Amino acid sequence: WRKRPSEPGGSKRTEQEQRTPETKIQDHVSSVCTFFVASCYFVLLSGYICSSKLVPVSQYLGTILICLLGVACLRGWGRWKNPEYLQFISILEENKRNHSPENKRKLRCFTFDFPHWPQDFSWREVSSPKLTKAGVSLLKPEPKLRGTADSILYSVRTLPCHIIGYLVAHTFGRRMLYPGSVGLLQKAMKPMLMQGQAKLIEEYDGQRNKLVACDGNEIDTMFVDRRRDGGHNGKTLVICCEGNAGFYEVGCMNTPLDAGYSVLGWNHPGFGDSTGVPFPQNEANAMDVVIQFAVHKLGFQLNDIIVYAWSIGGFTATWAVMSYPEIQSLVLDASFDDLLPLALKVMPESWRPLVQYTVRRYVNLNNAEQLLKYQGPVLLIRRSRDEIITTGGPEDIMSNRGNDLLLKLLQSRYPKIMTDEGIRVVKQWLGASNQLEEASVYSGYEVDDGWCVSVLQSYQADRDVLFPWSVGEDMTQEGRRQLALFLARKYMRNFESTHCTPLPASEFHSPWKL
């Protein structure tokens, strides 16, 4: 290396700062070579390698290498003689040179490794250059205020818990939470996924796209455009957020498709051909680039977009409407308010402090907290026999965390209506196990839908304010009960099924709004 002149002000750079990248690479290679030579010398001196052992091993290795070389040659020869493969290669190379819609349409006729798929959209095309690779902003728990000395002692005392929590979250914890990211499951589902993808492309003229998020993850998406069909629903785009073992190829995307909407599906990071791992930050980064793609490439306005999520997809869906409040509406199917109660349900009671720390630090899926930031229309769909998001079992409908999501939403938006009495009657309505019991509770309080609508419309017209509303402040207890039940039925619909039953298109509705 050569010495650089001193910098302005007379200060000289250290030796390490003066080293060029080439010199550093050379030194690194030299160190590796030295280590390899020393290792070989040690092995020779120890007598592990001798002619009697080396000859049979070399014969085995030579045979294996010859077999591999033969297979590679046969594969290359077969591809060279295959006209379809040659056509595919020419189309792929043409796409890399000119990624036009026509070339892209030709490429859709082939299935190949997603890393070779040309990039269709990147966050850099529209996002601010100030956005770093750390990603988009998330809601985080407020830090506990402690004194300086106390904070140091607390950090030292809880260090083992932090280490174990990190290991749990990054090993089996993440895989338990998102089983769809496990390679073995994906291999087992591969034929089904390929069949579903082919159906979307061949029957619905689906357009596959590769999006690059701000963290570098490549997100696999599928877009079905219904705007040219002439139907009213086709002008609205439904962005689908799948569950923890769901893929756009075979997931909830089919529900709005059957209802005639334009649909954009995407796979979580680490699911299918999407890269990365499905931690909350990566999930939000992926959702952000999906929305940017829908607006800047597909040509939809935010107020033409409905976000639809099933189960754990509620996290990215609520993040989307919190971050993009102009989005038309939100539909949450079989979702929950917070991951922590569900995590505590499946873990031993003795693990409670560790589970609390791990969830809040690494997988804090705080759906309700994000949802309360949104002002637009919301529809919650509760599965009456849900076995996944209940803390007491599928037969205990009151332990369904969708109930908590509804109550938190109503209390946030209508605090004067959702008093203790309002909460009581809504819980009574939520406890109904079927439509007949639900209607019985509703009629038992003699709810007048017309009167409820007129009260809410009058309040909205006079004030035109954002939530929370003070409607019901000077109202009788009977009036508050009627409004509480009316709002509960408008914000939540019951679907008599288990957690994983596909939602029929007839049950997919736009959320209620005044």
Side-chain angles (χ1 to χ4, degrees):
W1 56 276
R2 61 185 179 87
K3 187 176 181 180
R4 291 188 180 182
S6 59
E7 301 206 354
S11 62
K12 293 187 177 181
R13 299 172 60 154
T14 63
E15 264 187 32
Q16 185 65 24
E17 290 173 330
Q18 293 177 19
R19 298 168 66 82
T20 63
E22 292 82 1
T23 304
K24 294 179 180 179
I25 293 173
Q26 291 172 4
D27 289 350
H28 181 68
V29 173
S30 176
S31 301
V32 172
C33 292
T34 302
F35 175 77
F36 177 74
V37 171
S39 300
C40 291
Y41 184 68
F42 172 76
V43 171
L44 284 171
L45 289 180
S46 302
Y48 290 112
I49 297 179
C50 58
S51 59
S52 61
K53 296 180 180 179
L54 190 60
V55 172
V57 170
S58 63
Q59 289 176 345
Y60 294 143
L61 290 177
T63 304
I64 293 173
L65 289 175
I66 291 173
C67 291
L68 291 175
L69 182 62
V71 170
C73 290
L74 288 174
R75 184 181 185 186
W77 174 263
R79 287 182 171 181
W80 183 44
K81 289 296 184 180
N82 189 332
E84 291 184 359
Y85 185 80
L86 295 177
Q87 180 188 15
F88 159 68
I89 289 296
S90 63
I91 292 174
L92 181 61
E93 292 300 322
E94 182 62 28
N95 259 276
K96 292 179 180 179
R97 292 190 296 268
N98 178 21
H99 198 45
S100 65
E102 179 62 24
N103 288 335
K104 187 177 174 182
R105 185 187 62 79
K106 295 178 181 177
L107 193 63
R108 279 189 291 159
C109 299
F110 301 91
T111 300
F112 56 98
D113 291 343
F114 195 63
H116 298 284
W117 188 277
Q119 174 183 309
D120 296 286
F121 183 78
S122 171
W123 68 280
R124 295 181 183 276
E125 297 181 28
V126 294
S127 297
S128 168
K130 295 181 180 179
L131 183 62
T132 65
K133 286 189 176 181
V136 296
S137 60
L138 296 176
L139 288 179
K140 297 181 180 179
E142 296 183 2
K144 297 179 180 179
L145 299 178
R146 295 176 177 271
T148 304
D150 188 32
S151 296
I152 295 173
L153 292 174
Y154 178 79
S155 300
V156 172
R157 190 169 64 250
T158 58
L159 182 60
C161 182
H162 294 179
I163 295 173
I164 296 173
Y166 177 87
L167 294 175
V168 167
H170 288 78
T171 53
F172 69 88
R174 188 258 299 173
R175 290 167 176 81
M176 286 179 61
L177 187 59
Y178 288 96
S181 64
V182 178
L184 189 62
L185 176 64
Q186 294 190 32
K187 286 183 179 179
M189 295 185 63
K190 189 69 174 178
M192 187 187 305
L193 297 180
M194 292 182 66
Q195 184 179 0
Q197 187 181 103
K199 178 182 178 181
L200 290 171
I201 293 173
E202 295 170 6
E203 296 186 15
Y204 295 99
D205 194 28
Q207 303 169 24
R208 195 182 186 193
N209 297 281
K210 177 195 283 188
L211 316 184
V212 180
C214 59
D215 50 17
N217 287 334
E218 297 175 349
I219 307 302
D220 185 12
T221 69
M222 182 68 70
F223 170 56
V224 176
D225 194 352
R226 295 284 182 74
R227 286 173 289 189
R228 296 185 298 271
D229 295 350
H232 176 72
N233 288 347
K235 298 177 182 179
T236 300
L237 176 68
V238 178
I239 297 180
C240 298
C241 303
E242 299 290 345
N244 64 355
F247 304 81
Y248 74 70
E249 292 91 340
V250 292
C252 65
M253 185 174 173
N254 290 295
T255 297
L257 269 180
D258 293 341
Y261 289 90
S262 295
V263 183
L264 176 59
W266 60 283
N267 280 334
H268 298 280
F271 281 55
D273 288 318
S274 294
T275 62
V277 288
F279 281 110
Q281 185 65 65
N282 297 344
E283 289 275 288
N285 294 341
M287 188 65 190
D288 182 66
V289 77
V290 167
I291 294 175
Q292 297 283 2
F293 172 71
V295 173
H296 295 281
K297 279 290 186 178
L298 301 182
F300 288 92
Q301 300 296 321
L302 286 172
N303 55 15
D304 293 327
I305 294 175
I306 297 174
V307 179
Y308 168 50
W310 173 62
S311 190
I312 209 170
F315 172 74
T316 48
T318 53
W319 179 89
V321 296
M322 174 188 71
S323 304
Y324 295 90
E326 301 89 354
I327 285 176
Q328 182 188 126
S329 57
L330 172 68
V331 178
L332 295 177
D333 178 17
S335 196
F336 52 86
D337 62 325
D338 189 7
L339 177 64
L340 183 57
L342 298 173
L344 292 172
K345 177 187 76 169
V346 298
M347 290 296 180
E349 181 63 26
S350 59
W351 288 31
R352 189 180 188 91
L354 176 62
V355 173
Q356 287 179 331
Y357 171 78
T358 304
V359 169
R360 289 290 178 244
R361 179 67 179 83
Y362 298 107
V363 285
N364 189 31
L365 306 187
N366 49 347
N367 298 351
E369 189 178 2
Q370 294 182 148
L371 178 60
L372 300 187
K373 306 288 184 182
Y374 179 55
Q375 294 281 326
V378 176
L379 173 62
L380 307 179
I381 299 174
R382 183 184 66 166
R383 307 298 184 98
S384 59
R385 299 192 302 276
D386 200 311
E387 73 281 13
I388 301 298
I389 64 166
T390 52
T391 55
E395 68 285 346
D396 183 10
I397 196 170
M398 285 307 295
S399 69
N400 189 308
R401 297 305 299 189
N403 301 337
D404 301 85
L405 189 58
L406 173 67
L407 290 171
K408 289 176 182 178
L409 180 62
L410 293 180
Q411 286 177 281
S412 173
R413 292 191 172 190
Y414 311 97
K416 303 302 180 181
I417 294 174
M418 295 302 294
T419 58
D420 292 341
E421 182 63 17
I423 293 173
R424 186 188 67 79
V425 296
V426 170
K427 284 185 175 180
Q428 185 180 350
W429 177 80
L430 289 171
S433 58
N434 54 57
Q435 293 182 355
L436 186 61
E437 290 184 18
E438 180 185 326
S440 175
V441 173
Y442 199 78
S443 61
Y445 286 97
E446 300 180 347
V447 180
D448 186 343
D449 290 359
W451 176 80
C452 292
V453 171
S454 64
V455 169
L456 294 171
Q457 286 180 339
S458 176
Y459 180 89
Q460 184 185 49
D462 292 344
R463 294 163 183 80
D464 193 23
V465 295
L466 299 176
F467 295 114
W469 285 7
S470 60
V471 60
E473 189 172 18
D474 301 323
M475 193 174 290
T476 63
Q477 196 172 66
E478 181 186 355
R480 289 178 185 153
R481 282 197 295 259
Q482 287 196 46
L483 282 172
L485 285 172
F486 173 81
L487 290 169
R489 196 166 73 162
K490 291 298 182 183
Y491 276 90
M492 174 176 278
R493 296 177 64 91
N494 280 312
F495 177 46
E496 295 186 14
S497 75
T498 57
H499 185 79
C500 296
T501 304
L503 185 72
S506 58
E507 295 292 330
F508 184 85
H509 305 282
S510 295
W512 169 80
K513 57 183 177 181
L514 283 173

